[in-house]
Amino acid sequence: MATGRVADMKIAFIGLGNMGGGMAANLVKAGHAVRAFDLSEDALARARDNGCQTYTSVREAVEGAEAVVSMLPNGKIVDSVYSADVIGHAPASALLLDCSTIDVDTARKVADAASAAGYEMVDAPVSGGIAAANGGTLTFMVGGSDQAFARAEPILAAMGKAVIHAGASGAGQAAKICNNMILGATMIATCEAFALAEKLGLDLQTFYDISSKASGQSWSMTSYCPVPGVGPASPADNGYQGGFAAALMLKDLKLAIEAAASVGARVPMGTRAGQLYEEFAAAGNGATDFSGIIKAL
């Protein structure tokens, strides 16, 4: 069990990219002492500006930590960082929280290795994007034991608006990839509908006013409208920059498609969404917000 008060913990944070940087800053705001590490000097400088202590290696950052939070690009890196630099180097009493979006099998493998070494660990991928990471309004989907979740919840709550226990190890990742498969497919359908509405001569604001209050309503329309100047502010109003990159949506869709294949599930809509985002990213749009796929329709 952690020895510090929940509002005064020593937390190592590994991975300070577009999402991790804001998340680490919110842990500082909540009163935690954050020991940060990233390979990028620019990311480390921003972390220092936000009140984090920075270190030159993962092993230095996790030394004496009561919790370790990671936000890393993929499962291979998560496995490598935990096996080489976290497990056996952070105190065995430290809680491990991986907030990366990775495949379920790797999440379970890393959790099993952590458990064998005496650690409690949760997989806690997020939903909400960069603005939510900066604003502390992320949603966390958490996999792990009841005891590990109870320890993780107050830490995650400092970075989000909702912390939901999805089940045992790997369940957080399963929930994330299923959720984002819905998001990828519904965004494409929303873009198609706006493109069709325009070609049929409908005013797009009028169509939004109708569909956002009718059976076509979805988060992709009412919270993240892909049309500039329509609905609440979204990346569409900023040239489709910021938000959630198409390359990351493609990554999540591939994880969902691979997971479906591993359990014999049919996901024709998810598969087609993956194909369309692959084409969109291959055309040089990987860094464009995923709602920008409307430009290809």
Side-chain angles (χ1 to χ4, degrees), residues 5 25 43 70 107 114 135 153 165 178 183-184 200 228 279:
R5 292 183 294 111
S70 55
E153 186 173 20
H165 192 190
C178 290
L183 177 60
L200 291 173
E279 294 169 7

Side-chain angles (χ1 to χ4, degrees), residues 11-287:
I11 301 177
F13 203 108
I14 314 303
L16 304 166
N18 289 333
M19 297 292 291
M23 292 165 67
N26 281 314
L27 288 175
V28 173
K29 291 176 186 176
H32 299 299
V34 178
R35 303 166 60 88
F37 172 78
D38 195 278
L39 293 173
S40 165
E41 287 297 330
D42 288 343
L44 290 172
R46 286 192 296 271
R48 285 191 292 271
D49 290 342
N50 288 326
C52 300
Q53 294 175 289
T54 58
Y55 294 82
T56 58
S57 71
V58 173
R59 293 187 186 185
E60 286 181 341
V62 304
E63 184 178 348
E66 296 169 88
V68 178
V69 181
S70 55
M71 183 54 113
L72 298 165
N74 57 56
K76 182 177 180 180
I77 294 173
V78 169
D79 189 5
S80 174
V81 166
Y82 276 89
S83 62
D85 297 310
V86 177
I87 296 172
H89 298 280
S93 59
L95 175 67
L96 310 182
L97 308 90
D98 180 42
C99 296
S100 319
T101 296
I102 63 174
D103 62 285
V104 175
D105 287 344
T106 298
R108 289 174 177 161
K109 174 188 174 185
V110 175
D112 287 346
S115 179
Y119 296 88
E120 288 186 319
M121 183 171 188
V122 297
D123 51 283
V126 308
S127 178
I130 297 171
N134 292 334
T137 58
L138 293 167
T139 293
F140 290 89
M141 297 152 262
V142 188
S145 69
D146 289 343
Q147 182 174 324
F149 175 75
R151 292 180 64 189
E153 186 173 20
I155 298 171
L156 298 173
M159 302 180 285
K161 65 178 181 181
V163 182
I164 302 167
H165 192 190
S169 293
Q173 299 296 349
K176 172 65 185 287
I177 61 177
C178 290
N179 179 77
N180 275 23
M181 185 171 69
I182 294 172
L183 177 60
T186 55
M187 178 56 78
I188 290 172
T190 301
C191 291
E192 287 181 343
F194 272 109
L196 176 60
E198 185 174 42
K199 290 181 185 299
L200 291 173
L202 286 172
D203 174 76
L204 295 187
Q205 180 65 53
T206 301
F207 173 63
Y208 172 87
D209 292 342
I210 294 168
S211 194
S212 64
K213 297 177 180 64
S215 56
Q217 186 275 334
S218 70
W219 188 90
S220 294
M221 174 174 288
T222 57
S223 295
Y224 213 91
C225 186
V227 179
V230 176
S234 71
D237 300 307
N238 190 39
Y240 300 99
Q241 299 304 306
F244 189 54
L248 295 177
M249 174 54 77
L250 176 59
K251 169 197 164 185
D252 289 359
L253 287 167
K254 285 182 175 179
L255 288 173
I257 293 164
E258 290 166 2
S262 74
V263 295
R266 292 187 67 247
V267 288
M269 294 294 288
T271 298
R272 183 57 182 147
Q275 292 168 346
L276 290 171
Y277 273 106
E278 188 153 28
E279 294 169 7
F280 186 62
N285 299 300

